[in-house]
Amino acid sequence: MSNNNYMLEKLANLAEISKERNRLKEQETKKSSKPGNPNRKLSTHLLEDANDTLDKNQQLGLFDSYEITKTKSFPTLLGRLPIFIPGPSSRQKEMIDEDFALTFKTPFGRGRRFGPPVSCKDEEVLFALLRLSEKRLVGKGDRLPIALERSGQWLTDEKNNLTVQITMATIGQIIEELGLRTKGGNNYKNVLASLKRLNQISIELETRKQDMYFGTSWTGGKFRIVDIEWKTYTDQGLIFCQFTPLMVKWLKEHATYYSWDIRRQLKTDNGKTLHRFLSTQGNSYSQSLAYIADTIEWYGNRSRLKPQMQSILETLKDDHQWCDFRITGNGRKAPYHLDFWRTKK
C-alpha cells in the first residue's frame, strides 16, 4: 500500500471515530439538559477535549493508537503480591521498614512497596481504571502522553517503541464502575484521593539465584504500575491514566481473568483479597491456611482463621458457584490445610 493510500485510509478511520463521537455527544447533551444535572455537561466537554487532543497527536505521528476490548483480566503477579493490604490503612504503619517501604516475601523472592499505604478500596479503583481502558498507544517513550524516559530497553519493540494502555474517564464514570450510588460528595473525594495514592506507588522486586561458585545472589528492579494526571473541579473531574509498558506486557502475557461481579458482592476485605489471590492459582490449589493468611496479609484474629476463611469459601461456593473446597487438619499437630478447585471463571 502506498503512503498516500495509507494516509487516506487512516484519515477515513479517524473520520468514522469522529462521527461516532459526535453521535455520543448528542446523546450526552440530551442527558445533560435534564434538571438536576448541571455538571454532566462539564465532564462531557472535558472528555471530548481530551479525545480530540489524543486524535491530533496521533495524526501528527507522535504515536499509533489501537482500540482494545474491555479488560476483564488482572496481572497474575500483582494478584499474588500483598500490595493492597486488607483492613484499615493505619495497620500498615507497623509493616514498614526504615525506608518507609512495606516489605513482603514471596515464593520466588522478596519485595517492597513504596508510596502511601494502599488498601482494598484503592485496588478496586485500579480495577475500575483497567475495566474503563479502551486503547493502547505505541510510540517512542518521550512522545507518549505521559513521557517515559527510563522505561527499560527490554520492553521496546524492534522499532524501539513502547506500548502503554490508557484510560480517559471522568471521576463520575469511575464511581459508576465501582457500583457506588452517588457521584458527588464523599464518593468523589475518596476516589480522587485513591487515584492520587495509586499515582505514587512503585514496587521493588528481587529474585534469588543460586550460583555454584559464588553462592546466593539477588537480582531485581523497581517499577511503577500506572501514571495518572487529573483535572478537577468542585465535584467533577477528568482522569488520564497511563498503564506502564510492564503492566501492558503482563496484561498480554501473564494475566488472570477476574470476576468483577463477584468482587463487588463480597462484603469484607479478607474475602475480596482471598478471592483475588485464589483467582490467580489456576483450576486447583493446595496449601495451609496459615501460609495463605501470611501471603495475603490476612486482617484480624488468627485464632478464628479457619471459621472465617471457611465462611468466605462457602459464600464463593454456594452463592456464586465459583469453587469447591475442603479444609482438613485440627489446627494443632495437623495444621489446617485447604484443597481448592475452581468450578468456573
Side-chain angles (χ1 to χ4, degrees):
M1 183 184 291
S2 69
N3 287 337
N4 287 337
N5 288 338
Y6 173 76
M7 289 301 297
L8 287 172
E9 182 177 332
K10 198 167 186 178
L11 289 171
N13 289 336
L14 289 171
E16 286 297 319
I17 293 172
S18 178
K19 183 178 178 181
E20 176 65 13
R21 188 171 295 135
N22 287 336
R23 184 184 69 79
L24 294 173
K25 178 180 177 180
E26 290 177 4
Q27 291 180 351
E28 203 62 40
T29 300
K30 290 179 182 178
K31 293 178 182 178
S32 66
S33 63
K34 294 180 180 179
N37 234 347
N39 292 308
R40 189 184 295 268
K41 202 166 186 178
L42 171 62
S43 294
T44 303
H45 288 318
L46 288 171
L47 201 52
E48 287 171 356
D49 289 344
N51 274 296
D52 288 342
T53 299
L54 194 74
D55 288 346
K56 288 174 183 176
N57 288 339
Q58 181 183 353
Q59 292 177 54
L60 289 171
L62 297 183
F63 46 75
D64 290 321
S65 173
Y66 301 93
E67 303 286 331
I68 60 173
T69 56
K70 189 167 186 177
T71 302
K72 296 182 179 180
S73 299
F74 190 70
T76 303
L77 180 59
L78 279 189
R80 293 177 177 175
L81 297 178
I83 304 301
F84 300 94
I85 307 299
S89 58
S90 58
R91 72 179 288 232
Q92 298 181 40
K93 293 178 181 178
E94 301 175 358
M95 304 165 69
I96 61 175
D97 64 11
E98 64 275 9
D99 295 323
F100 300 100
L102 182 141
T103 61
F104 56 85
K105 293 182 179 179
T106 72
F108 53 84
R110 61 194 181 191
R112 297 193 294 173
R113 187 205 68 202
F114 292 86
V118 284
S119 65
C120 290
K121 291 182 174 60
D122 301 306
E123 183 181 42
E124 290 181 345
V125 173
L126 181 65
F127 286 152
L129 290 172
L130 277 171
R131 289 177 59 81
L132 290 169
S133 181
E134 295 180 342
K135 292 181 181 179
R136 284 182 181 154
L137 309 181
V138 181
K140 298 292 186 294
D142 59 353
R143 294 186 174 186
L144 295 169
I146 298 178
L148 299 176
E149 296 179 2
R150 296 182 69 251
S151 52
Q153 292 301 308
W154 60 279
L155 289 172
T156 58
D157 62 17
E158 65 278 1
K159 296 181 180 178
N160 204 32
N161 288 326
L162 292 169
T163 302
V164 296
Q165 188 164 312
I166 64 168
T167 300
M168 290 189 294
T170 65
I171 295 181
Q173 287 175 313
I174 297 170
I175 291 172
E176 187 174 352
E177 188 67 32
L178 291 169
L180 303 175
R181 292 184 179 180
T182 58
K183 295 184 179 180
N186 286 335
N187 286 340
Y188 176 86
K189 294 176 183 177
N190 292 338
V191 168
L192 180 57
S194 184
L195 290 163
K196 291 179 179 180
R197 284 192 292 271
L198 290 171
N199 190 49
Q200 299 180 59
I201 294 300
S202 60
I203 300 168
E204 177 186 275
L205 285 178
E206 290 184 297
T207 56
R208 181 170 53 190
K209 185 177 181 181
Q210 195 70 26
D211 187 277
M212 64 181 297
Y213 298 108
F214 300 104
T216 301
S217 64
W218 293 86
T219 59
K222 189 177 176 183
F223 65 91
R224 295 176 57 75
I225 298 174
V226 65
D227 293 299
I228 301 174
E229 293 181 349
W230 56 88
K231 190 173 187 179
T232 60
Y233 297 86
T234 303
D235 58 359
Q236 284 295 318
L238 177 72
I239 298 301
F240 182 91
C241 160
Q242 182 173 288
F243 292 99
T244 60
L246 186 58
M247 278 285 284
V248 176
K249 178 180 175 64
W250 286 345
L251 286 167
K252 291 195 294 186
E253 300 176 11
H254 308 286
T256 293
Y257 173 83
Y258 191 71
S259 175
W260 181 235
D261 290 337
I262 292 178
R263 164 81 180 216
R264 292 200 302 184
Q265 293 178 61
L266 295 172
K267 304 299 184 184
T268 67
D269 283 0
N270 283 333
K272 294 173 181 180
T273 306
L274 180 63
H275 171 244
R276 181 252 293 155
F277 176 75
L278 291 175
S279 293
T280 69
Q281 301 299 329
N283 292 326
S284 63
Y285 182 68
S286 180
Q287 190 53 265
S288 73
L289 266 58
Y291 174 89
I292 296 171
D294 289 340
T295 301
I296 67 176
E297 293 291 351
W298 182 271
Y299 175 60
N301 188 346
R302 292 291 183 94
S303 67
R304 292 190 48 78
L305 179 60
K306 181 195 173 184
Q308 289 179 350
M309 194 174 289
Q310 182 168 320
S311 176
I312 294 167
L313 291 165
E314 285 172 350
T315 297
L316 292 169
K317 175 184 176 181
D318 298 336
D319 295 355
H320 303 286
Q321 294 76 52
W322 185 71
C323 68
D324 201 356
F325 71 95
R326 179 175 64 243
I327 296 177
T328 56
N330 57 23
R332 294 182 291 278
K333 290 184 178 180
Y336 293 124
H337 192 95
L338 171 68
D339 291 300
F340 165 88
W341 304 272
R342 284 264 293 276
T343 53
K344 73 174 183 179
K345 282 190 173 184

